[in-house]
């Protein structure tokens, strides 16, 4: 059996129904549950080395918000929220605190075992993680917490979310801190432009 075809079948019969039951929409290998201020996003990433004999894949999660568009991304937001444009982008293994580990399917795979593992990870890891993020304030708190733990993502995302969520002082303090810590002139120039778009003042 062609393993790439088998993966498509597993997505259709075993993975997509779990997301649908939770209110997610699907586009290609992307799933999104849309709320007024943001969306939970999950992407099924296939390995570029996949063959007919063996496939590997993993899950990436994130929180999409169109508040980053027009300020950080100078383009219109995509019609379907995707993980690639999200904040808090975390792979399934990071949610499980494990080394990077992909699901593998080959002719010798115990398929029932792999399906059970995938379904368990979606329900008890991905959904549990996302369900803690019910408001934009929850998202901001989690971004702050992850940053304090040393998780790196673009420092401007938090500035923008603070400002757009009405936390003006936090946004103002953060942009000044990020500006002061920036080493490159190009970074400082970008931060000045961002401050202008957000109507913040760099001191």
């Amino acid at each position: 059996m062609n393993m790439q075809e088998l993966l498509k079948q597993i997505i259709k019969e075993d993975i997509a129904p779990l997301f649908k039951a939770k209110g997610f929409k699907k586009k290609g290998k992307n799933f999104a549950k849309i709320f007024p201020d943001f969306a939970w996003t999950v992407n099924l990433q296939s390995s570029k080395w996949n063959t007919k004999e063996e496939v590997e894949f993993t899950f990436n999660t994130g929180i999409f918000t169109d508040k980053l568009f027009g300020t950080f991304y100078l383009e219109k937001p995509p019609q379907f929220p995707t993980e690639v444009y999200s904040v808090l982008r975390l792979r399934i293994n990071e949610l499980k605190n494990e080394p990077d580990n992909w699901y593998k399917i080959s002719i010798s795979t115990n398929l029932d075992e792999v399906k059970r593992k995938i379904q368990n990870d979606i329900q008890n890891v991905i959904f549990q993680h996302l369900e803690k993020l019910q408001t934009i304030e929850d998202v901001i708190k989690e971004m702050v917490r992850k940053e304090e733990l040393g998780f790196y993502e673009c420092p401007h995302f938090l500035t923008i979310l603070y400002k757009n969520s009405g936390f003006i002082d936090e946004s103002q303090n953060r942009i000044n801190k990020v500006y002061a810590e920036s080493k490159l002139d190009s970074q400082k120039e970008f931060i000045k432009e961002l401050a202008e778009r957000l109507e913040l003042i760099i001191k």
Side-chain angles (χ1 to χ4, degrees):
M1 186 185 233
N2 182 328
M3 293 301 124
Q4 290 175 324
E5 290 303 315
L6 181 59
L7 176 56
K8 283 181 190 170
Q9 189 183 324
I10 289 169
I11 293 169
K12 186 181 175 184
E13 294 174 7
D14 300 279
I15 295 173
L18 294 178
F19 284 100
K20 192 178 177 187
K22 280 281 183 185
F24 282 76
K25 291 179 162 58
K26 177 180 180 292
K27 186 176 183 185
K29 291 181 181 174
N30 296 294
F31 301 89
K33 182 166 183 178
I34 300 162
F35 298 93
D37 284 338
F38 61 91
W40 296 342
T41 57
V42 181
N43 161 259
L44 187 150
Q45 181 184 347
S46 297
S47 168
K48 61 181 175 183
W49 308 113
N50 283 351
T51 64
K52 288 177 184 176
E53 289 77 38
E54 182 177 89
V55 295
E56 295 187 6
F57 61 96
T58 189
F59 291 102
N60 303 306
T61 70
I63 302 294
F64 175 91
T65 170
D66 59 11
K67 290 177 169 60
L68 299 179
F69 291 82
T71 48
F72 186 81
Y73 301 115
L74 297 181
E75 57 195 83
K76 286 182 179 173
Q79 288 185 322
F80 190 89
T82 55
E83 178 269 337
V84 74
Y85 282 116
S86 291
V87 300
L88 281 177
R89 295 175 69 194
L90 293 160
R91 190 167 274 179
I92 179 80
N93 64 288
E94 293 177 290
L95 297 178
K96 293 172 80 174
N97 290 314
E98 291 179 357
D100 200 7
N101 193 2
W102 294 51
Y103 308 98
K104 292 184 178 70
I105 300 173
S106 68
I107 201 76
S108 59
T109 300
N110 180 331
L111 210 51
D112 287 337
E113 202 176 288
V114 173
K115 284 181 183 180
R116 270 197 301 275
K117 187 181 182 203
I118 293 164
Q119 290 174 331
N120 182 61
D121 282 353
I122 291 170
Q123 291 175 312
N124 299 321
V125 181
I126 292 175
F127 290 161
Q128 276 193 15
H129 162 67
L130 293 173
E131 279 163 6
K132 290 186 286 188
L133 306 167
Q134 295 286 341
T135 67
I136 203 76
E137 285 79 11
D138 292 340
V139 174
I140 288 170
K141 279 179 196 161
E142 183 64 5
M143 288 171 75
V144 170
R145 190 182 78 82
K146 296 297 276 185
E147 193 173 82
E148 286 167 354
L149 291 172
F151 172 77
Y152 178 81
E153 67 182 333
C154 174
H156 308 308
F157 291 165
L158 201 42
T159 307
I160 294 164
L161 291 193
Y162 272 144
K163 178 67 168 56
N164 282 312
S165 304
F167 301 108
I168 311 300
D169 290 348
E170 288 87 344
S171 182
Q172 184 63 73
N173 292 339
R174 185 173 176 84
I175 204 162
N176 283 324
K177 178 176 178 284
V178 173
Y179 184 81
E181 289 171 357
S182 295
K183 304 279 191 288
L184 301 174
D185 287 345
S186 58
Q187 288 173 336
K188 287 186 180 292
E189 277 309 307
F190 177 80
I191 297 167
K192 281 181 187 170
E193 286 172 25
L194 185 63
E196 236 173 83
R197 287 177 213 148
L198 293 170
E199 298 178 345
L200 296 172
I201 298 153
I202 292 190
K203 293 172 184 171

